[in-house]
Amino acid sequence: MTVEEGGVRVTKLLPFNRSQVFLYAYRHTYAQRHADAGVGVDVLCELMGHRFIGTTQLYYRVGEDRRREAVDRLATLHFDRHGNKIWRAAAALLDSEHVRLAVGQVAVPYGSCSEPSNVAAGGHDCPIRFRCVGCTHFATDVSYLPDLEGYLASLLRSRERIRGTFGADEWAKAEALPSDTEIARIRRLIVQIKTEVDDLSESDRALVEESVSTVRKGRSAVVGLETPRVRQPVPDVRPDRST
């Protein structure tokens, strides 16, 4: 701290609580310094003697430079709802992603949304109730592949459960049944993303996988970045009111 003595400003060191110093903290410092230096998480996992990469990731924080570098690397692996590549300038992508992370904008399920009213509501006011693959405002990238696969599995489970339901009218089943078109489109999108990744060289694929890990870790760490749950539309049964 800085104090004034005899009209002169002097910097003095505050006493440090030595109880906060412990040997295990050096492992965190070791991991953080190596991560900041660009050492891959798989290599760092080996250096630290961990069995799982997830354990290693608990020992350091992803810095802004590494996060932006990871987003930059994934810039060429963006896709629209049909699985077509979206080629966008890396600088523009970095800026938009940086702003999204800075303000804690809520992501839409398994991708991003540019629909104005939904963006204004932080991702919780989709006009078509998060049928993202049917909307021109939807885009995704390889880092959302696990989410896409999870959503597809959820749709398939729901379809089988609803088809086997007894005691429900056919119109009710039809309303609740996931669309075959949506299922087919998500399947096609997943296949397209996997094909693009498989076509990469082994070294490029390793870099992409590391970038995906970095982006997903940074995404989950942002407060308020919870993805809205996708549910089947609920009919409006409120009676009309006359004015």
Side-chain angles (χ1 to χ4, degrees):
M1 63 179 295
T2 302
V3 297
E4 188 171 333
E5 293 183 352
V8 180
R9 297 181 66 82
V10 180
T11 300
K12 290 188 175 182
L13 296 178
L14 294 175
F16 187 78
N17 185 359
R18 295 187 178 183
S19 65
Q20 295 182 3
V21 180
F22 51 95
L23 292 177
Y24 199 76
Y26 285 102
R27 287 182 61 81
H28 289 265
T29 302
Y30 178 88
Q32 188 66 59
R33 295 187 66 176
H34 278 71
D36 291 342
V39 176
V41 64
D42 55 336
V43 176
L44 187 54
C45 180
E46 290 288 337
L47 291 174
M48 298 189 69
H50 292 153
R51 295 178 58 189
F52 305 105
I53 288 179
T55 303
T56 307
Q57 291 176 325
L58 298 175
Y59 279 75
Y60 66 91
R61 296 181 179 180
V62 178
E64 186 63 27
D65 290 341
R66 290 195 66 212
R67 186 184 296 119
R68 291 171 71 89
E69 180 184 356
V71 173
D72 187 9
R73 189 173 292 137
L74 299 181
T76 58
L77 291 175
H78 267 66
F79 304 85
D80 64 12
R81 58 187 173 135
H82 299 292
N84 300 317
K85 269 189 174 183
I86 302 174
W87 295 91
R88 293 193 286 177
L93 176 62
L94 284 171
D95 290 341
S96 62
E97 182 74 0
H98 176 65
V99 171
R100 185 183 71 79
L101 290 171
V103 301
Q105 180 179 331
V106 180
V108 298
Y110 46 81
S112 60
C113 174
S114 59
E115 199 282 321
S117 62
N118 194 35
V119 172
H124 289 279
D125 190 27
C126 175
I128 59 173
R129 300 182 184 181
F130 301 106
R131 297 301 183 268
C132 298
V133 292
C135 180
T136 58
H137 297 284
F138 170 73
T140 190
D141 63 59
V142 65
S143 68
Y144 286 99
L145 183 57
D147 305 294
L148 284 165
E149 292 177 323
Y151 183 51
L152 175 61
S154 175
L155 289 177
L156 294 175
R157 287 194 301 268
S158 295
R159 185 174 65 177
E160 294 306 312
R161 185 173 68 250
I162 293 170
R163 284 177 174 175
T165 299
F166 297 96
D169 292 339
E170 290 303 318
W171 67 265
K173 288 185 178 181
E175 285 287 335
L177 196 66
S179 166
D180 289 339
T181 302
E182 182 181 16
I183 291 175
R185 183 165 290 182
I186 291 178
R187 273 180 171 156
R188 185 167 63 248
L189 183 56
I190 291 173
V191 169
Q192 185 63 31
I193 294 175
K194 287 184 174 181
T195 300
E196 293 288 345
V197 174
D198 290 342
D199 288 342
L200 298 173
S201 65
E202 186 174 347
S203 58
D204 287 343
R205 193 180 307 118
L207 289 174
V208 166
E209 290 174 354
E210 181 182 349
S211 297
V212 166
S213 176
T214 300
V215 169
R216 290 184 65 84
K217 182 176 181 179
R219 186 180 296 147
S220 63
V222 176
V223 177
L225 203 59
E226 179 184 358
T227 302
R229 294 184 178 181
V230 180
R231 297 177 179 175
Q232 293 294 326
V234 178
D236 188 351
V237 296
R238 294 174 298 178
D240 294 334
R241 294 184 178 181
S242 58
T243 55

